[in-house]
């Protein structure tokens, strides 16, 4: 402590200011370094909220005194408290949904509410409830539902309602399977609405129609691949067989209507029979002619005639046998299956102890190929192909220990950069500011110290013993001086070794006034 006091008193005022400023800067740097190292890691709490919902969440965090950051539309909190805060805010109904649901109907009273007002509020509540259900999906960020339900008219009583839903996802666009599920969700929630009347619009991919739906060939190939791999693993072991399956599917849609008639297959469906009978007779005198006036002529003879006619008609109606077929071919039917199987061989140790590779026997390969054909539904008429080969596998690397997270695993790159900059700053201040100032200050303080008062004058050219040890202990060399036995030679050697101290002592003597006798 005395040495520090002597060192501080020996510094000039300018150096004292520099030392104080450097000490303060170094202290601030160390404090900032420790604060950056102990600062909480911020994690995303909520993102994509509207202004009203985000304001309620921020107000709830401020009431609890939780440190948070708002970056655009995202709210960040301490990562260690993120899950707890989500559960706590959810219990309070935060963040609130922007669309209102059936609670809109609670504000309607029987007085002053017309049927049109109730219908409008009902469909608005229906849209809000459907939007809430859609938002429960984890990959959907925003959803709006619009339902058009036209009232019946005098000429059109049955009008099917329609709907449109707009979706904003968190990243990947909406898949066709998800769009189909949304159609059925909305159609099942609205009475009389078919799924075809629901339009699904993605904010990134646009309108998602039925034509954009995948055929499912990749799913079929993946299913067949898993089945074959599981079958081969039971015989060969895991990792000793590689299977690749390709499924070619029908991509076009075809509708065939066929109608056939069989003339041999007749069936009488009706019979109509009509019978008609006609009878006529004629009798009377003969007609008056020239011959009847002659003497020999027959003037007054009688005559008679009769006729009978019978007619029968029959009409039979037959129905000709008819066959009508309507064949609809939709996309997704399998056209061709190709299977490639690579199997490892056998490791055999010969007489010399060397391990050699041998392919699988042909009979076993044939048995495995038959199993694979049964697993994939092989059809030679369809053009299916199965290729099974036995080839050596490259040795797999030995798995090592899983990487364990280090001490700095929880720090991000920005925090590490800040800690590095502060550490370098503190090191530079310590090495290149404080150390040179203190070192130069120590040497200057020793030079400015007055020479010690001698107990007596030089007697016969010999300095007193106190003058020899006049330097402070901090300036004494570590190795002792080898002084000769002669006092004069010893004084000369000491003056030669300590020229600066000797000159300072002599200068102090010359400047000192003589004391009165």
């Amino acid at each position: 402590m005395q040495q520090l006091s002597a060192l501080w008193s020996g510094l000039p005022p300018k150096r004292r200011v520099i030392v104080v400023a450097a000490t303060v800067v170094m202290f601030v740097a160390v404090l900032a370094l420790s604060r950056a190292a102990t600062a909480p890691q911020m994690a995303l709490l909520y993102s994509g909220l509207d202004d009203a919902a985000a304001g309620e969440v921020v107000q709830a965090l401020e009431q609890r005194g939780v440190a948070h950051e708002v970056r655009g539309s995202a709210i960040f909190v301490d990562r260690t408290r993120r899950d707890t805060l989500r559960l706590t805010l959810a219990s309070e109904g935060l963040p609130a949904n922007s669309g209102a649901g059936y609670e809109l109907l609670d504000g309607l009273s029987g007085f002053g509410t017309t049927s049109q007002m109730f219908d409008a509020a009902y469909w608005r509540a229906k849209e809000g409830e459907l939007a809430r259900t859609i938002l429960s999906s984890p990959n959907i960020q925003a959803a709006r539902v619009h339902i058009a339900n036209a009232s019946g008219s005098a000429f059109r009583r049955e009008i099917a309602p329609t709907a449109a839903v707009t979706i904003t996802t968190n990243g990947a666009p909406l898949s066709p399977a998800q769009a189909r599920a949304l159609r059925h969700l909305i159609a099942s929630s609205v009475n009389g609405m078919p799924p075809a009347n629901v339009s699904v619009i993605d904010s990134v991919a646009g309108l998602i129609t039925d034509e954009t739906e995948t055929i499912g060939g990749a799913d079929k190939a993946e299913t067949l691949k898993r089945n074959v791999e599981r079958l081969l693993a039971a015989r060969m072991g895991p990792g000793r067989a590689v299977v690749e399956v390709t499924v070619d599917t029908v991509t076009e849609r075809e509708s065939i209507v066929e109608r056939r008639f069989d003339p041999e297959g007749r069936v009488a469906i009706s019979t109509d029979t009509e019978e008609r009978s006609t009878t006529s007779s004629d009798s009377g005198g003969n007609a008056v002619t020239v011959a009847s006036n002659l003497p020999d002529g027959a003037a007054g003879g009688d005559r008679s005639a009769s006729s009978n006619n019978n007619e029968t008609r029959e009409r039979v109606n037959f129905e000709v046998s008819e066959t009508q077929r309507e064949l609809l071919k939709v996309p997704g039917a399998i056209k061709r299956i190709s299977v490639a199987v690579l199997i490892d061989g056998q490791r055999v140790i010969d007489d010399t102890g060397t391990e050699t590779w041998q392919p699988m026997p042909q009979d076993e390969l044939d048995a495995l190929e038959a199993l694979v054909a049964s697993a994939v539904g092989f059809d030679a008429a369809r053009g299916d192909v199965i290729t099974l080969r036995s080839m050596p596998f490259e040795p797999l690397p030995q798995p090592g220990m899983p990487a364990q997270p280090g001490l700095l695993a929880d720090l991000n790159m920005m925090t590490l950069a800040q800690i590095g900059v502060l550490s370098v700053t503190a090191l530079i201040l310590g090495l290149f500011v404080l150390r040179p100032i203190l070192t130069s200050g120590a040497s200057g303080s020793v030079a400015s110290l007055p020479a010690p008062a001698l107990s007596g004058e030089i007697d016969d050219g010999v300095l007193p013993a106190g003058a020899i040890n006049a330097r402070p202990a901090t300036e004494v060399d570590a190795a002792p001086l080898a002084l000769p036995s002669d006092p004069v030679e010893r004084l000369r050697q000491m003056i030669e070794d300590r020229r600066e101290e000797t000159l300072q002592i002599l200068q102090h003597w010359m400047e000192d006034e003589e004391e009165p006798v």
Side-chain angles (χ1 to χ4, degrees):
M1 196 66 186
Q2 295 179 356
Q3 295 178 357
L4 292 177
S5 177
L7 182 62
W8 177 258
S9 61
L11 292 176
K14 184 177 180 180
R15 290 185 179 273
R16 292 182 181 179
V17 174
I18 296 176
V19 170
V20 172
T23 303
V24 172
V25 172
M26 186 174 181
F27 178 76
V28 172
V30 173
L31 182 61
L33 177 63
S34 60
R35 183 176 181 181
T38 58
Q41 300 298 320
M42 308 304 287
L44 179 63
L45 179 64
Y46 293 113
S47 178
L49 301 177
D50 56 355
D51 296 340
E56 293 177 355
V57 172
V58 171
Q59 183 179 2
L61 294 177
E62 290 178 352
Q63 291 177 356
R64 288 177 172 82
V66 178
H68 61 279
E69 296 180 3
V70 179
R71 305 172 187 174
S73 61
I75 303 174
F76 290 81
V77 296
D78 188 3
R79 182 167 55 185
T80 59
R81 302 185 59 185
R82 180 189 60 183
D83 299 335
T84 304
L85 289 173
R86 283 182 177 176
L87 296 177
T88 305
L89 295 176
S91 64
E92 299 178 1
L94 297 176
N97 294 321
S98 57
Y102 285 132
E103 60 269 14
L104 289 175
L105 303 179
D106 298 337
L108 298 179
S109 60
F111 299 98
T113 302
T114 62
S115 60
Q116 292 81 4
M117 295 173 59
F118 181 82
D119 291 342
Y122 173 77
W123 289 113
R124 182 184 174 189
K126 178 75 73 174
E127 293 173 354
E129 291 293 333
L130 289 174
R132 288 179 179 179
T133 305
I134 296 173
L135 286 174
S136 62
S137 180
N139 63 330
I140 295 180
Q141 181 178 355
R144 292 291 302 274
V145 179
H146 302 276
I147 300 175
N149 187 21
S151 59
S153 60
F155 301 98
R156 297 182 62 185
R157 295 184 179 276
E158 296 182 358
I159 302 176
T162 59
V165 54
T166 304
I167 301 297
T168 301
T169 60
N170 292 329
L174 200 67
S175 64
Q178 293 174 333
R180 185 166 58 253
L182 291 179
R183 291 192 190 97
H184 286 276
L185 170 66
I186 297 176
S188 301
S189 302
V190 180
N191 186 21
M193 179 184 294
N197 288 6
V198 181
S199 300
V200 179
I201 303 172
D202 194 337
S203 60
V204 177
L207 180 64
I208 301 179
T209 59
D210 295 337
E211 287 75 11
T212 59
E213 295 181 358
T214 58
I215 298 171
D219 298 337
K220 295 179 181 178
E222 188 66 25
T223 302
L224 294 177
K225 178 181 178 181
R226 289 196 302 267
N227 295 338
V228 175
E229 286 180 347
R230 185 170 60 253
L231 181 65
L232 295 177
R235 174 65 182 89
M236 303 294 299
R240 296 192 61 195
V242 180
V243 182
E244 292 295 336
V245 180
T246 303
V247 178
D248 296 335
T249 58
V250 178
T251 58
E252 63 272 3
R253 185 186 300 269
E254 183 180 4
S255 178
I256 300 175
V257 179
E258 182 181 2
R259 187 177 183 184
R260 293 183 180 182
F261 296 94
D262 187 8
E264 299 297 332
R266 298 184 304 170
V267 177
I269 59 175
S270 64
T271 302
D272 185 11
T273 303
E274 181 180 358
E275 295 182 359
R276 180 179 299 177
S277 178
T278 304
T279 303
S280 62
S281 61
D282 186 12
S283 62
N286 295 331
V288 179
T289 60
V290 177
S292 63
N293 293 324
L294 293 178
D296 296 333
D302 295 331
R303 62 180 182 85
S304 62
S306 62
S307 62
N308 189 5
N309 186 14
N310 294 326
E311 181 180 358
T312 301
R313 293 182 181 181
E314 185 178 5
R315 180 183 300 170
V316 180
N317 295 326
F318 293 92
E319 184 72 22
V320 180
S321 143
E322 176 186 358
T323 303
Q324 184 173 355
R325 294 194 329 169
E326 183 176 358
L327 181 63
L328 179 62
K329 294 182 178 180
V330 297
I334 298 177
K335 293 194 303 184
R336 184 171 179 268
I337 297 178
S338 300
V339 183
V341 182
L342 181 62
I343 297 177
D344 195 7
Q346 299 175 349
R347 305 290 176 175
V348 180
I349 300 177
D350 54 8
D351 299 336
T352 60
T354 304
E355 183 180 10
T356 59
W357 180 89
Q358 293 183 359
M360 299 290 293
Q362 187 61 36
D363 55 350
E364 188 167 356
L365 291 178
D366 296 339
L368 292 177
E369 185 175 356
L371 292 175
V372 172
S374 300
V376 300
F378 179 78
D379 187 1
R382 191 172 52 192
D384 297 348
V385 178
I386 296 179
T387 304
L388 192 145
R389 296 290 183 269
S390 178
M391 296 182 180
F393 282 15
E394 291 294 331
L396 297 177
Q398 295 295 330
M401 295 297 293
Q404 299 293 334
L407 296 177
L408 301 180
D410 296 336
L411 300 179
N412 52 19
M413 295 302 298
M414 183 60 67
T415 304
L416 292 177
Q418 293 176 355
I419 294 176
V421 171
L422 291 175
S423 301
V424 172
T425 303
L427 184 62
I428 291 175
L429 288 175
L431 293 178
F432 299 99
V433 178
L434 292 180
R435 186 173 181 273
I437 291 176
L438 295 177
T439 305
S440 62
S443 60
S445 62
V446 173
S448 62
L449 290 175
L454 298 177
S455 58
E457 296 179 356
I458 299 177
D459 185 12
D460 295 334
V462 181
L463 289 173
I468 297 176
N469 299 326
R471 287 198 310 168
T474 57
E475 295 294 325
V476 178
D477 296 336
L481 297 175
L483 300 178
S485 59
D486 189 8
V488 178
E489 293 295 330
R490 184 169 56 189
L491 179 60
R492 186 180 294 111
Q493 183 176 353
M494 292 177 60
I495 294 174
E496 185 69 20
D497 294 336
R498 297 180 173 85
R499 294 194 179 195
E500 295 181 0
E501 291 85 348
T502 306
L503 292 176
Q504 291 177 4
I505 293 173
L506 294 176
Q507 184 179 1
H508 178 69
W509 285 351
M510 287 185 296
E511 293 176 355
D512 195 11
E513 297 179 356
E514 294 183 358
E515 297 181 358
V517 180

